[in-house]
Amino acid sequence: MVDTYDYDMVVIGSGPSGRRAAVQAAKLGRSVLIIEKNTRVGGVCVHTGTIPSKTLRETVLNLTGWREQAFYGRAYRACRDITIADLNSRLRKTLDYEVDMLDHHFARNGIAVAHGTARFVDPHHITITMDNRVARTVSGDRIIIAVGTRPHRPANVPFDGKVVLDSDEMTSLARLPRSLTVIGGGVIGIEYATIFSALDVQVSVVDADFSHLRQFRVIL
């Protein structure tokens, strides 16, 4: 007896790895369902990770005239008063474009998308629970887990989303801070440190290893 399933492949997560797997399977003639827990596809890469940080970086370079300072001098500034609204406006446009492009890409390849939280019932069946708590169960011959990453949040750190934030929350700031302390001198920490430094925010970086922080002023 041959088992029959709703889909040849079910992909949990619509970030870079999930969507590439889904599209490749669809191009090979397989039926594919993507399950995304958020209301918009794209995953961490589109909404809180790579694209938001790179968009903010390019926006800051453009609005501050950072690239032109080599010619006009460090006092040159393309836009004198830069607000969080200026940054958010460009960020929203970029993210909207990315989501629309992904939606079109999935539709063009015949990939179904379900929004909700996935939970395994058994190796081939998954229950999808939507925000309204309505659940449905789907089955797949193959299941790919591509749920992405999230920042480490130690229990002893008082995260509040306003004063103490993780890197994902940096794109939801209500205003530009007067000063910023970045704990950790990794890629993401230094990227945000240089972005806000270019906005004339006083920035301090705290890291256990200072050997790589010589890149701080040139990473932009």
Side-chain angles (χ1 to χ4, degrees):
M1 180 176 178
V2 179
D3 292 327
T4 58
Y5 301 102
D6 298 326
Y7 298 94
D8 296 319
M9 179 183 289
V10 175
V11 181
I12 305 174
S14 62
S17 58
R19 67 173 177 258
R20 284 179 173 82
V23 170
Q24 185 62 40
K27 288 183 180 299
L28 293 173
R30 304 297 190 269
S31 58
V32 182
L33 170 69
I34 287 180
I35 303 174
E36 170 58 52
K37 70 175 182 178
N38 297 314
T39 57
R40 308 178 83 194
V41 296
V44 171
C45 176
V46 170
H47 298 288
T48 57
T50 303
I51 291 178
S53 65
K54 299 303 182 288
T55 300
L56 288 178
R57 174 182 177 273
E58 290 303 311
T59 299
V60 168
L61 291 179
N62 178 262
L63 293 179
T64 61
W66 190 88
R67 292 189 176 97
E68 289 78 13
Q69 288 179 1
F71 180 80
Y72 293 108
R74 292 188 60 84
Y76 174 79
R77 198 172 182 86
C79 181
R80 289 294 172 184
D81 298 313
I82 301 173
T83 67
I84 200 70
D86 297 322
L87 303 182
N88 287 338
S89 175
R90 298 199 182 195
L91 181 59
R92 282 195 302 271
K93 290 179 181 178
T94 300
L95 299 190
D96 287 345
Y97 171 79
E98 291 291 332
V99 171
D100 288 344
M101 183 177 66
L102 285 176
D103 284 336
H104 177 70
H105 198 39
F106 293 153
R108 189 174 70 243
N109 285 280
I111 299 171
V113 178
H115 294 277
T117 302
R119 180 177 62 83
F120 277 92
V121 177
D122 60 41
H124 292 281
H125 292 79
I126 294 175
T127 295
I128 307 170
T129 304
M130 278 73 81
D131 288 340
N132 57 7
R133 302 303 177 188
V134 174
R136 57 179 283 217
T137 300
V138 298
S139 61
D141 185 26
R142 296 288 187 271
I143 312 292
I144 291 183
I145 303 174
V147 295
T149 61
R150 58 186 178 187
H152 178 51
R153 292 173 65 101
N156 61 335
V157 177
F159 292 99
D160 59 8
K162 297 179 181 179
V163 177
V164 182
L165 310 93
D166 62 34
S167 57
D168 282 0
E169 295 171 323
M170 293 299 292
T171 58
S172 59
L173 287 173
R175 61 179 178 81
L176 288 177
R178 294 180 181 177
S179 61
L180 178 69
T181 299
V182 178
I183 311 298
V187 174
I188 298 299
I190 295 301
E191 186 168 48
Y192 277 118
T194 50
I195 286 172
F196 283 90
S197 179
L199 292 170
D200 295 328
V201 174
Q202 182 180 344
V203 179
S204 301
V205 178
V206 179
D207 190 82
D209 179 12
F210 289 95
S211 63
H212 59 286
L213 295 186
R214 61 181 178 273
Q215 304 174 26
F216 177 77
R217 299 196 63 83
V218 299
I219 197 169
L220 284 174

